[in-house]
Amino acid sequence: MYGVIRNLLFRLPPEQAHAVALNGLDLAHRLRVLGAFSPKTEALPVNVMGLDFPNPVGLAAGLDKNADHVDALGALGFGFIEVGTVTPLPQPGNPKPRMFRLPEHQAIINRMGFNNEGLAHMLERVDKRSYRGILGINVGKNKDTPNDESESDYRKGIAAVYDRADYITVNVSSPNTPGLRDLQFGDSLKGLLHAIKDEQRKCESHLGRYVPVAVKIAPDMDDEGIRFVASALKEAGIDGVIATNTTISRDAVVGHVHAAEAGGLSGAPVREASLRVIQGLYAELGDDLPIIGVGGITDGESAAEKIRAGAKLVQLYTGFIYRGPTLIGEAVETIRTQG
């Protein structure tokens, strides 16, 4: 059934299809017919970052930037939902068109640019949710905030969502905010990580609750860069790392009509790059700091291989768009038998 729905949606421009699909999920959830589109996902409990996940397959940030569709998405069988990226102030993102499908490659290129309604809107939506599963909130900086002032935006984001989130993700790896990825390297990364940890401690002291913080990194790192990030994360006492975001490489889609479009490439072409980063991180971190694997998961095997490489959890995005809710249960079952 999802294949028919997807073919109809793919006749629409990508952003319009995205909105129609999410609004359709909301309607199906309200009418209590969502089960017809979503096979039941069997439990596969796992404890990561001190949290009990019903299964290790989650939804990556980006699909529901404003937490407008948490209840419907949470009813599909995901082990956890991550919303965002949210910035302190609302921003429109980059000019349209800014999303492109590459069906031959099960891939998407996007240059959305952290388009979102801001913290105030998200907090209102989160407060109204009925979903009580694990909720991660992904925070970023506004486009017009200079990198040398980015610490302030991340502190605002962490402080605002701390009492609503089960875990918080700090996004320093989107290629669609100018200069953002520079925060992944050298003293910039170390300074930011220590500021993040400081804000986490302040919030814990104020609210009497410890909320783990993960950092999301890019796949476009060499081995030295991976080792540096791993060391910096451990030194700062960060709770987890999400590997990886989208790639700026186009090697896997050379010749495609959209290959020259600016933005981040996601989907099947990121599978190997993401896996390489996970393997490199695990070689440095072992089980001391949990890895959440994301990028190129299009079937059960590509989910399980990330677990075998050292990830404790995985997240879906582009594969979910191409495969639909069936992918969730398939990934869980393959991890159960092969992960």
Side-chain angles (χ1 to χ4, degrees):
M1 184 181 294
Y2 180 75
V4 174
I5 294 171
R6 184 196 64 193
N7 290 340
L8 291 172
L9 288 170
F10 275 24
R11 295 182 181 181
L12 301 173
E15 275 198 71
Q16 185 180 355
H18 186 90
V20 169
L22 288 174
N23 288 331
L25 278 177
D26 287 344
L27 178 61
H29 182 61
R30 288 196 298 272
L31 295 176
R32 300 184 180 181
V33 297
L34 202 53
F37 304 93
S38 177
K40 180 176 172 57
T41 302
E42 298 299 326
L44 184 60
V46 58
N47 184 281
V48 181
M49 300 187 295
L51 301 172
D52 292 319
F53 294 80
N55 73 64
V57 179
L59 178 68
L63 198 82
D64 188 6
K65 292 178 182 291
N66 299 303
D68 288 329
H69 310 281
V70 172
D71 291 340
L73 290 167
L76 293 176
F78 285 109
F80 59 108
I81 301 291
E82 186 172 318
V83 295
T85 298
V86 62
T87 54
L89 299 175
Q91 59 183 29
N94 293 321
K96 299 178 182 180
R98 54 192 180 181
M99 183 182 289
F100 308 89
R101 301 187 194 100
L102 293 75
E104 305 93 321
H105 301 282
Q106 293 188 75
I108 291 172
I109 291 173
N110 91 83
R111 51 172 178 265
M112 303 300 288
F114 286 175
N115 59 306
N116 73 101
E117 298 298 328
L119 279 167
H121 173 93
M122 173 178 279
L123 295 177
E124 180 182 345
R125 298 301 301 161
V126 167
D127 286 345
K128 291 181 178 178
R129 77 191 188 282
S130 58
Y131 170 74
R132 286 296 175 258
I134 291 181
L135 180 69
I137 301 182
N138 185 305
V139 300
K141 80 174 188 71
N142 280 110
K143 181 179 180 178
D144 58 1
T145 301
N147 271 9
D148 59 4
E149 298 175 19
S150 60
E151 175 187 318
S152 174
D153 276 12
Y154 286 109
R155 284 182 179 271
K156 287 175 185 175
I158 292 168
V161 307
Y162 195 89
D163 63 343
R164 273 91 161 181
D166 292 297
Y167 73 90
I168 298 168
T169 298
V170 173
N171 190 344
V172 294
S173 52
S174 170
N176 302 318
T177 296
L180 184 70
R181 286 190 170 195
D182 294 343
L183 297 175
Q184 295 179 112
F185 304 104
D187 290 341
S188 294
L189 177 63
K190 288 187 175 183
L192 180 60
L193 293 181
H194 284 286
I196 289 165
K197 193 66 183 180
D198 179 65
E199 192 62 37
Q200 181 191 35
R201 289 192 185 103
K202 287 181 179 178
C203 292
E204 179 190 15
S205 176
H206 178 63
L207 295 169
R209 171 176 176 245
Y210 187 84
V211 176
V213 174
V215 173
K216 189 167 187 175
I217 64 171
D220 308 305
M221 287 187 183
D222 59 18
D223 292 344
E224 182 180 354
I226 294 170
R227 287 192 293 270
F228 175 83
V229 166
S231 174
L233 292 169
K234 276 202 297 188
E235 179 187 327
I238 300 301
D239 300 289
V241 56
I242 301 182
T244 61
N245 213 315
T246 57
T247 180
I248 57 174
S249 171
R250 295 293 186 268
D251 292 347
V253 296
V254 170
H256 192 278
V257 64
H258 294 313
E261 294 288 350
L265 173 68
S266 63
V270 191
R271 177 175 176 174
E272 294 302 322
S274 171
L275 190 65
R276 181 184 64 84
V277 174
I278 292 168
Q279 291 167 335
L281 288 171
Y282 190 73
E284 300 296 319
L285 301 170
D287 293 322
D288 293 339
L289 194 152
I291 301 165
I292 301 173
V294 56
I297 297 176
T298 58
D299 55 21
E301 168 56 25
S302 49
E305 73 180 0
K306 285 179 164 46
I307 301 295
R308 293 196 297 267
K312 304 303 181 190
L313 303 166
V314 297
Q315 290 179 318
L316 312 179
Y317 186 106
T318 302
F320 175 65
I321 291 171
Y322 279 97
R323 291 284 315 281
T326 300
L327 179 58
I328 305 166
E330 180 183 322
V332 171
E333 288 310 305
T334 310
I335 289 170
R336 187 194 309 276
T337 58
Q338 300 180 27

